[in-house]
Amino acid sequence: MGDNSIADNPFAALFPTLTQAQQYSSTISASKTPVSEVSCLTNTTEEAEPTSIMQDESDMETKALAAVEFNEAVEKIFLITLDKGTSSDVQRPCRCVYLEEMASALQGQTWFDQESLPQAVFERVMMENPADSMVTSRTSGKDVRAAAAACEAEVLRYLFQCYTRLQASTEELQETAVFHQCEDLIIMNARNCLQQTELFPEQKVHLQFLDIFQEEFEFLAGGLHTVAESFFLHLCREININKEEGSLLEVFKPVLEVVKEKFTKELSLTHANTLYYVAFLEFFSKSAPLGEAFMAYNAPWDWKNGKAFEMTLIGAALSLSCIPKNETGPYEFFNSPSSAPKQEHDITEANIWQPLSNLCERVHQLFLSLIRLSPDLRHTVLTWLGKCLQANSGRTKIWSNQIPQLFNQMYCSEGFSLNLCHVMLKLCQPFSNPTSTKLLKIQPSYTCAVAASDGEVKSRSIHAGRLNTETKLVQIEDESAQPSPSSDTTYNFITECFFLTQQCLNMGFHMVHDKFLKLNQDLHRVQRVYNDMRGQAPDEEQEPMRSVKAQMEKGMTLYLSMKAALTEPRLMEMSLNFHMATAAWLVQVAVHDDVSKFQTVTFPLPSEAPAALVYIPEFLMGNLTDFVLFCQRFKNDMFELAGEAVNHLMTLILVFMGSPERMKNPHLRAELAETLAALMPDKDNSNRSGILSSFHRDQLFVKHPQVAQLSTTLLHVFVSIEMTGQSVEFEQKFNYRRPMYQVLEYIWEIDLHKQAIKELSVMAEAHIEDTDPPLFLRFVNLLINDAIFLLDEALQYMSQIKEKQQEKERGDWNNLEPRQRQETDNNFRHLGMLARYHNVMANYTIHALELLTREIQSIFCHSMLVDRIAGMLNYFLLHLVGPKQRNFNVKDKNEYEFKPQQIVQDITKIYLNLGESEMFCQAVSADQRSYSPELFAKAVQVLQKISTMPQVMSDFLGLEDKIRGLADSLREEEELLADVPEEFLDPIMGTLMKDPVLLPSSKNIVDKSTISRHILSDQSDPFNRSPLSLEMVEPQLELKAKIHAWIAETKSKAGKS
C-alpha cells in the first residue's frame, strides 16, 4: 500500500495530522516492525506538543494497533488476505488466499475489520478452487503444508482447520472479543455447511465430517483430540439451537447412513477401522440432543421384527462377531480346520477375544453414556432394549432351530445375541456380586407388572415385555388368585437391568449354547459317516466322500467360531459373577419374606415358601444351570477363580433341588443335580497345575455351612422325578439320574455324607411300614427298578447288535438296494446308540447298588425288598455267565460301553455285601426263575478269567456253599407244600401268602410283602387303579391263622417239626 493513497485510508482519521499518519504508515511499511515495538518509534515525534495532543495520539495509537492486530489474527486464522503484497514479517502466514472480489469491493482496502470479516469468511468458504487465488504473503518460507492449508478446498475441513488455528492462538488473543467473533463465524459457517449442503453441490460435506473425525481420533486414548471434540460439540450445539434450518437427525442422517453401510458391508471384527467407527457412535452420547437424534435414527423399521433391530446402526455394530451371520458364511476364521493343529486354533481363538471384548465394551459405554444423559434418553434406550428382546423372544421356541432359513429372516444372529449379552452383563456389573446390597433392591413383582400405555412404561419403568406370560417357579392354578403388583408401583434401574439381562441371556447365551451342542452332535454324526466311508473308499477326492468331508470342515469351522465367541474370557467372567449374584438373591427370595437385608439360611426350610416366588420366571434358573454346565465343560477353572463365592451356587442347589414347594418343575430340580455334578472336582487333575487346582470345589462338599443337607436333597430329587404329580418322560428320568449317580459316588467317599445316608437307611427301616414310605426306601426301590430295566434293555440291544453284525459279515447287506443299505446302516447306528446309552446307565446303577451295600445291608434284606434284589442279581448273573453270554459277544464292546466283566464283578460284590443275611441267602436260593446250583460255579469260572482277587473268589465260593445248603432245604419244603389251596395263593405272584391283607377298593387279598413292593413304585390298587397306601390295607388275621395252621399241619403229617 503506497503512501500516495494514505489520504484515502480511513485509518488516517485516527491520527491528529496527515503527517503523523504518513509517518506511522511509512514506518510500518518500511520495517514491518512488530506491533509491540511501534510505541517506541512514535515517541520520537513532536515531543513538545501539549499533553492533550499526546493523549489523543495515545488513543489513536491504541486503536490503530488494535486494527493491525485484528488483521494479523484474521490472516493467521483464516489464511485469507486483502493485501497481495509480500512481506518479510514472520508473524504473517506463508501463504494466503487473496479475496479479489472483496478487495475490489473495498476499493483498495488491504486489511480486514470487524464489519468486513463475516463477508470475507463467507467468500472464502464459497470458493470452489481456492488454490487459484493463493498468494505468497511472506518472503521467507515455502512450507508445502502451509500452501495445502491455505488452499484447502473441502469446506468443513477448512473451517475445522481455522478452528484449530484459533484454539492454538496466544492466551492474549483468547481473552479478546476478536477470538469469540472468529469462533462464532467458524461455527456458523460450519453449521451452514451441514444444514445447507445444497450450497456445495460438488462436495460431500457429511463425508468430510467422518474423515475429520477419523483423522482426529486417538486410538490409544480411545477418543477424539480435545480441539476436535470441542469443535464438533460446539457445532452440534449450534445446529440444535437453529434446528428450524435442519435438525441434528436431518444433518447427521447421511453421515450415519454411511457408517451403517460400513458396518454392514465393509467392517469385520478384526478390521483396522472397526474401533474407530464404534468410537464415532460414542460421539452421539456426548449430549442429550445428539443422543436423541442417534436413538431416533436407530428406530427399527418394524418394532415387532427381531431381525429389524440388527439392521439398525447399533445392531450392525453388535452383529460383528467371529460367528457368521448365516451358516452359509462367509467364514472369517478357522478355515480348513482339519489341516491345522490345535495350537493354531488356540492362537486364532485368543486373537479373536480382544477385538470382540473391545467392541462390546465400547457399545456398552455408548449405552451407558446415553442412559446417563437424561431421563428421556434412559427411557428411549431401555425401550429399544426391551422391544429388541421381546421381538427376538421367538429364538427361545423349540421350533426355531428346525427352520434355519426362516429363523435367520425373523430373528437376530447368534453374534448379535452374544454381544448384546456382553453389553447387558456389563450394565449389571455394579451389582454382580453375591454380597452386594444392591441385589436386595431387585423387585420381584416386576415380572408381573403390565404398563397400560407408553407413558406408563416411562413413568413406572417397565420396559421388559412379556415377562408376565413366562412360567414361574411356583405356579398358582387359579389365575384369579395370581398376585398382581399395584398399578402405581414404580421400578428402579437395577430391577430393569437385572430382568432385561436375564431375558437377554435366555435369548442369547442359552440358545447359542443349545445350538452349539446340537452342532456338536451333528459333527459327531458326520464324522462317523466320514470314517465309515474312508474304510470303504479311501480316495477323499471322489464323491460322495468329498461332499461329506466338505460338510465336516464347514461344521468344524462353525463349531470353532461359536466356541470362540462363547468362551470369550470377559463374557465368561461377567456371566459367572452375574449368576452367582442371581443365586444369592434367589436364595434370599426363596427362604425369607423380608429381603431388605441378607439373612442366614437354616435347615429345615420353612414348609411354606415366600410369596415372592410366584413372580420368579423359571428361565432364571435355566440360565444359571445352563451356564454352569457350559463352564464345567469348557472353562472349568472358572470355579476356582471364583473362590469362596462359588458357595452361593451350592446354597442355591440345596435350597431348591429338594424343595418342590419352591420350584415345582421337576426338570429344573433335576437339572440342579446336573449342576451339582458340574461343581465336583475333576477326577483327573493331572492336567491342572497348582495346589489350588480344585481346592474350593473340594471344600464346597465338606465345609459349606449347609452341606450336611446334600445327601437328603439328592435322594429327594432322585425320587421326586418319578412320583405322582411330578413325573417326567420315562427315558428322560434316566438322563436326569446319571449325574445323580456321579454325585452319589463322589460324596460316598466323604464320611460326612456317607454317615448321613446310613442314618437315612436306619430311619427308613424303622418306618418301613409308614403310610408315607421313607425317603431312603423309595430311593432303593427305584434304584432296583432302574437296574432291572436298564440292564435288561441293554442286554437285548447287545443281542440285536450281535445278530446285525453276523448278517453284515455273511454279506446279507451287500444285496440290498442303495437306499435300503443306507436305511439299514442308519438303523444299525441308531441301535448302537441305544445300546450304548442303556449300558452306560446300567453300569452306573449297578455300581451304585454295590457302593451302598458295602455299608448298608439290613434294609436290602427286608422282606419288602429282598426277593427283588436277589431275583435281579440271579437273573443278570445267569445271562452274563450262563449259556446266553455268547449272544452278547459283539465286536468293539467299548464302542457300546458294554462292560460285562465289570458288571459281573459288581454283582459278585453285591452278593458278598449282603451274604451275611440269612433272608438274602434264602431269597437267592428260592428264586426258581434264574437260580441253580451251577450258577455260582459258572460265575467263579468267569471271575477267574478276569483275574479277580483270590480273596473275593474264596468268599464267593463260601457263599455258594451256604446258599446251596439253603436251597436244598427250601426245595424240600417246597415239595412238601406243593399242593397249596387256591385261597392261600397270592393272586399276583402265585406264591403262598404269609401275611394276607385285603385291598379295600378291589377287595382282593394279596400278601403284604407283594403289595408293599408295589406301593413303593405305584400308590394305587393294582386291580382297579384306585389310590392305595400301606396304611389302607386290612390285615386278614383269620386267613393268616388258617395258612399257618395248614403249614404246620402239612409239616406235621410229613414228620417235620
Side-chain angles (χ1 to χ4, degrees), residues 12 53 73 139 323 367 393 440 454-455 496 530 534 537 585 641 683 694 732 803 922 959 1004:
I53 294 176
T139 54
I323 307 176
F367 276 131
S393 61
L440 303 177
D454 289 342
E496 291 230 77
Y530 176 73
R534 285 188 69 180
W585 179 72
L641 295 175
K683 289 183 178 180
S694 63
Q732 183 65 35
E803 293 176 6
Q922 288 180 354
L959 179 63
N1004 285 291

Side-chain angles (χ1 to χ4, degrees), residues 469-573:
T469 65
E470 295 287 346
T471 304
K472 306 301 191 291
L473 292 181
V474 175
Q475 300 175 42
I476 297 177
E477 300 298 333
D478 185 3
E479 293 186 4
S480 62
Q482 178 75 30
S484 178
S486 171
S487 59
D488 59 356
T489 302
T490 59
Y491 296 93
N492 56 52
F493 183 67
I494 290 176
T495 297
E496 291 230 77
C497 265
F498 177 77
F499 284 109
L500 286 170
T501 302
Q502 291 286 2
Q503 276 190 310
C504 190
L505 290 171
N506 188 40
M507 176 270 289
F509 192 97
H510 175 69
M511 294 311 301
V512 177
H513 181 203
D514 186 59
K515 187 172 182 178
F516 180 64
L517 294 178
K518 287 183 172 63
L519 175 63
N520 187 36
Q521 294 172 355
D522 292 341
L523 263 179
H524 283 299
R525 177 183 56 78
V526 174
Q527 285 173 338
R528 282 196 301 268
V529 172
Y530 176 73
N531 291 333
D532 289 346
M533 294 180 69
R534 285 188 69 180
Q536 300 171 9
D539 189 354
E540 297 184 357
E541 297 304 318
Q542 291 184 357
E543 292 293 350
M545 195 165 180
R546 183 169 56 184
S547 297
V548 173
K549 183 180 179 182
Q551 183 183 358
M552 186 173 65
E553 290 281 315
K554 178 182 172 183
M556 195 64 184
T557 297
L558 180 58
Y559 175 89
L560 292 170
S561 299
M562 294 179 75
K563 177 177 174 289
L566 285 165
T567 56
E568 192 278 306
R570 194 75 186 100
L571 175 66
M572 293 290 290
E573 179 188 357

Side-chain angles (χ1 to χ4, degrees), residues 801-812:
I801 289 173
K802 174 70 173 179
E803 293 176 6
K804 296 297 182 184
Q805 288 180 344
Q806 289 175 338
E807 290 177 4
K808 190 174 183 179
E809 289 173 358
R810 289 196 304 266
D812 294 355

Side-chain angles (χ1 to χ4, degrees), residues 827-1055:
N827 291 337
F828 181 68
R829 194 173 293 112
H830 181 66
L831 183 64
M833 291 172 59
L834 290 173
R836 186 178 189 278
Y837 169 76
H838 285 83
N839 278 320
V840 168
M841 294 309 303
N843 294 338
Y844 273 121
T845 311
I846 296 294
H847 186 65
L849 282 169
E850 190 277 320
L851 207 67
L852 290 171
T853 55
R854 293 178 195 173
E855 303 274 345
I856 302 170
Q857 294 90 32
S858 183
I859 194 168
F860 287 97
C861 299
H862 191 278
S863 60
M864 190 179 291
L865 297 174
V866 69
D867 289 340
R868 293 185 64 230
I869 194 165
M872 177 195 77
L873 295 174
N874 290 341
Y875 175 79
F876 290 124
L877 189 63
L878 175 63
H879 278 71
L880 293 170
V881 304
K884 293 184 179 180
Q885 63 172 302
R886 64 175 61 92
N887 295 338
F888 318 124
N889 189 23
V890 302
K891 295 179 179 179
D892 304 320
K893 291 185 177 67
N894 291 336
E895 181 181 345
Y896 305 111
E897 293 291 335
F898 183 46
K899 302 175 181 179
Q901 296 177 351
Q902 180 62 52
I903 296 174
V904 169
Q905 286 183 327
D906 281 340
I907 288 176
T908 301
K909 290 176 183 178
I910 297 173
Y911 274 117
L912 293 175
N913 292 340
L914 302 178
E916 294 295 323
S917 169
E918 194 78 14
M919 287 192 66
F920 173 72
C921 293
Q922 288 180 354
V924 170
S925 63
D927 175 27
Q928 298 178 356
R929 182 177 66 161
S930 303
Y931 176 76
S932 68
E934 298 79 21
L935 177 61
F936 279 32
K938 294 175 182 177
V940 169
Q941 293 174 4
V942 173
L943 291 173
Q944 289 174 333
K945 289 180 181 179
I946 60 179
S947 303
T948 306
M949 293 178 63
Q951 184 61 49
V952 173
M953 289 192 292
S954 175
D955 292 343
F956 195 66
L957 287 170
L959 179 63
E960 177 193 11
D961 292 338
K962 180 179 179 180
I963 292 175
R964 183 182 291 114
L966 290 171
D968 292 341
S969 300
L970 183 62
R971 190 179 306 107
E972 292 177 8
E973 183 172 327
E974 286 178 349
E975 291 174 358
L976 183 65
L977 303 176
D979 192 16
V980 182
E982 187 70 26
E983 62 174 321
F984 295 168
L985 290 176
D986 183 293
I988 296 176
M989 302 300 294
T991 56
L992 178 65
M993 293 186 290
K994 301 292 179 63
D995 188 5
V997 293
L998 175 70
L999 306 185
S1001 176
S1002 64
K1003 303 302 182 184
N1004 285 291
I1005 295 175
V1006 297
D1007 194 66
K1008 187 175 183 180
S1009 62
T1010 301
I1011 199 62
S1012 296
R1013 289 194 299 269
H1014 171 79
I1015 289 175
L1016 279 177
S1017 303
D1018 187 353
Q1019 290 77 41
S1020 65
D1021 188 318
F1023 297 98
N1024 62 10
R1025 311 303 300 164
S1026 298
L1028 181 67
S1029 67
L1030 198 58
E1031 190 179 55
M1032 296 168 64
V1033 301
E1034 302 172 9
Q1036 300 299 293
L1037 299 179
E1038 184 177 344
L1039 178 58
K1040 181 178 180 179
K1042 289 173 62 178
I1043 292 173
H1044 286 280
W1046 176 81
I1047 294 173
E1049 181 183 352
T1050 305
K1051 287 182 178 181
S1052 176
K1053 289 180 180 179

Side-chain angles (χ1 to χ4, degrees), residues 390-641:
Q390 183 174 345
N392 282 287
S393 61
R395 283 178 54 87
T396 63
K397 306 302 181 186
I398 296 176
W399 61 267
S400 61
N401 283 330
Q402 308 301 319
I403 317 175
Q405 295 81 6
L406 182 61
F407 178 87
N408 292 330
Q409 293 175 8
M410 295 177 63
Y411 305 117
C412 60
S413 65
E414 275 72 30
F416 174 96
S417 302
L418 283 180
N419 290 342
L420 187 58
C421 285
H422 188 123
V423 171
M424 295 304 300
L425 287 166
K426 183 75 174 174
L427 285 175
C428 291
Q429 261 197 306
F431 57 88
S432 291
N433 184 314
T435 60
S436 172
T437 55
K438 292 180 180 179
L439 282 172
L440 303 177
K441 296 181 180 180
I442 298 172
Q443 300 158 275
S445 65
Y446 179 83
T447 63
C448 288
V450 179
S453 64
D454 289 342
E456 198 170 301
V457 168
K458 180 180 179 181
S459 63
R460 295 180 60 194
S461 294
I462 308 174
H463 293 90
R466 303 181 66 177
L467 280 175
N468 62 313
T469 65
E470 295 287 346
T471 304
K472 306 301 191 291
L473 292 181
V474 175
Q475 300 175 42
I476 297 177
E477 300 298 333
D478 185 3
E479 293 186 4
S480 62
Q482 178 75 30
S484 178
S486 171
S487 59
D488 59 356
T489 302
T490 59
Y491 296 93
N492 56 52
F493 183 67
I494 290 176
T495 297
E496 291 230 77
C497 265
F498 177 77
F499 284 109
L500 286 170
T501 302
Q502 291 286 2
Q503 276 190 310
C504 190
L505 290 171
N506 188 40
M507 176 270 289
F509 192 97
H510 175 69
M511 294 311 301
V512 177
H513 181 203
D514 186 59
K515 187 172 182 178
F516 180 64
L517 294 178
K518 287 183 172 63
L519 175 63
N520 187 36
Q521 294 172 355
D522 292 341
L523 263 179
H524 283 299
R525 177 183 56 78
V526 174
Q527 285 173 338
R528 282 196 301 268
V529 172
Y530 176 73
N531 291 333
D532 289 346
M533 294 180 69
R534 285 188 69 180
Q536 300 171 9
D539 189 354
E540 297 184 357
E541 297 304 318
Q542 291 184 357
E543 292 293 350
M545 195 165 180
R546 183 169 56 184
S547 297
V548 173
K549 183 180 179 182
Q551 183 183 358
M552 186 173 65
E553 290 281 315
K554 178 182 172 183
M556 195 64 184
T557 297
L558 180 58
Y559 175 89
L560 292 170
S561 299
M562 294 179 75
K563 177 177 174 289
L566 285 165
T567 56
E568 192 278 306
R570 194 75 186 100
L571 175 66
M572 293 290 290
E573 179 188 357
M574 291 191 298
S575 296
L576 181 58
N577 290 337
F578 179 76
H579 287 304
M580 289 191 299
T582 299
W585 179 72
L586 284 173
V587 166
Q588 293 296 313
V589 172
V591 178
H592 308 292
D593 288 308
D594 178 17
V595 291
S596 60
K597 61 180 180 179
F598 284 110
Q599 301 181 58
T600 304
V601 177
T602 57
F603 285 83
L605 299 173
S607 57
E608 186 173 343
L613 286 174
V614 302
Y615 294 121
I616 309 300
E618 285 186 347
F619 70 76
L620 267 67
M621 195 68 73
N623 287 343
L624 188 150
T625 58
D626 181 68
F627 176 77
V628 172
L629 294 175
F630 176 83
C631 201
Q632 183 262 341
R633 182 175 181 184
F634 294 101
K635 289 284 185 178
N636 208 6
D637 57 343
M638 293 287 294
F639 299 125
E640 288 303 315
L641 295 175

Side-chain angles (χ1 to χ4, degrees), residues 114 173 175-182:
Q114 293 184 359
L173 179 61
E175 295 175 357
T176 67
V178 176
F179 178 89
H180 296 294
Q181 182 185 5
C182 291

